Amino acid sequence: MNQLTQIINVALPKGRLGEKVYDMFEAAGYPCPSIKEDSRKLIFENAEIGIRYFWVKPSDVAIYVERGAADIGVAGKDILLEYSPDIYELLDLNMGKCRMAVAGKKDFRDNTNRPLRVATKFSNIALDYYNRKGRDIDIIKLQGSIELAPILGLSDVIVDIVETGTTLKENNLEVMETIVPISARLISNKVSFKFKNYEIESIVKNMQQVMK
Ligand code: PRP
């Protein structure tokens, strides 16, 4: 176990990725056994070493960290690119790997005489990508099941996360372009990084050790 001199608050993404991330913290010397108990509790503390974990919705982690409710946390690069939170990105954890991609129907051909209709949850990433290509787009912002949009003619293409590619395949869609690779990142609140620097740097070092 690695004792911390000031308590560190850690926002973990609720779900399968979060459990793997917690295992990594545990292996790095920051265990909190009560977190493994099946309960609806959201906050878990190991006072002995000075660490407190809480489960938050994955897309909310960066908000907790940016505003200092958490000192550090783990967020997907997709969320960091989409919302550009004012945080430090400390470490690529090499897990939760997937990519942000443009996908569409197999027979789709772009008609450049009109704006491309793009359905996505990630409007900033999509706008930025097509801006750089100089292509006009019409964003159709959805919250989920994005793959439905091109099938029903709501959009021409989608910009979405592709992990195994199964969702696309099972819906007769295919990747047309890869925008950016995605993985989970350890992030820090900027003020915490200054005032709890020793603790946060120790966590980073011990996490790097686990990844070797
Ligand atoms: C994501 C994404 C795709 C799916 C891709 O959805 O939006 O639907 O995963 O994974 P695959 O390539 O392995 O099939 P998520 O499960 O995050 O839920 P969502 O529908 O709320 O976006």
Side-chain angles (χ1 to χ4, degrees):
M1 288 205 294
N2 290 309
Q3 202 140 0
L4 296 160
T5 36
Q6 296 188 78
I7 190 139
I8 297 293
N9 291 294
V10 187
L12 295 176
K14 210 172 169 156
R16 209 160 36 94
L17 173 67
E19 281 163 28
K20 279 199 217 154
V21 169
Y22 167 74
D23 289 341
M24 202 167 161
F25 273 92
E26 189 178 80
Y30 307 100
C32 185
S34 57
I35 208 169
K36 296 268 182 176
E37 287 163 20
D38 188 22
S39 92
R40 309 285 284 181
K41 257 177 74 172
L42 296 172
I43 304 182
F44 300 88
E45 183 172 325
N46 184 340
E48 212 183 320
I49 47 177
I51 202 148
R52 187 185 292 133
Y53 294 103
F54 35 90
W55 295 120
V56 310
K57 196 176 155 82
S59 51
D60 288 343
V61 168
I63 299 173
Y64 282 81
V65 174
E66 182 176 36
R67 292 182 172 260
D71 298 303
I72 58 173
V74 172
K77 184 68 180 174
D78 51 333
I79 300 297
L80 303 181
L81 288 170
E82 179 63 21
Y83 299 104
S84 306
D86 191 16
I87 48 87
Y88 293 131
E89 200 181 304
L90 302 178
L91 195 60
D92 184 344
L93 297 180
N94 250 316
M95 51 170 73
K97 283 187 165 185
C98 52
R99 57 186 163 145
M100 187 64 66
V102 178
K105 282 179 27 182
K106 290 184 175 142
D107 56 1
F108 173 72
R109 294 287 167 272
D110 193 2
N111 172 1
T112 50
N113 293 324
R114 58 171 178 77
L116 183 70
R117 296 171 307 153
V118 182
T120 189
K121 258 199 276 194
F122 302 94
S123 37
N124 292 325
I125 294 176
L127 279 167
D128 181 60
Y129 177 68
Y130 283 104
N131 224 344
R132 278 185 279 124
K133 287 174 67 128
R135 178 77 174 96
D136 266 353
I137 64 169
D138 176 12
I139 288 277
I140 300 161
K141 176 107 194 208
L142 298 176
Q143 303 302 330
S145 301
I146 317 293
E147 293 82 0
L148 267 178
I151 299 170
L152 299 180
L154 177 62
S155 76
D156 299 311
V157 295
I158 63 174
V159 164
D160 201 13
I161 284 170
V162 179
E163 193 182 350
T164 59
T166 312
T167 312
L168 292 180
K169 204 169 158 204
E170 291 191 355
N171 291 290
N172 291 314
L173 300 173
E174 65 181 11
V175 169
M176 294 155 59
E177 292 148 66
T178 292
I179 300 179
V180 66
I182 304 290
S183 57
R185 308 294 162 104
L186 181 68
I187 60 173
S188 170
N189 172 269
K190 288 190 164 176
V191 176
S192 303
F193 191 73
K194 192 165 169 194
F195 291 103
K196 296 184 175 177
N197 188 266
Y198 177 75
E199 289 81 0
I200 294 176
E201 294 276 31
S202 313
I203 293 173
V204 171
K205 260 187 241 142
N206 289 320
M207 297 282 265
Q208 278 171 325
Q209 210 57 38
V210 172
M211 287 168 63
K212 274 187 187 159

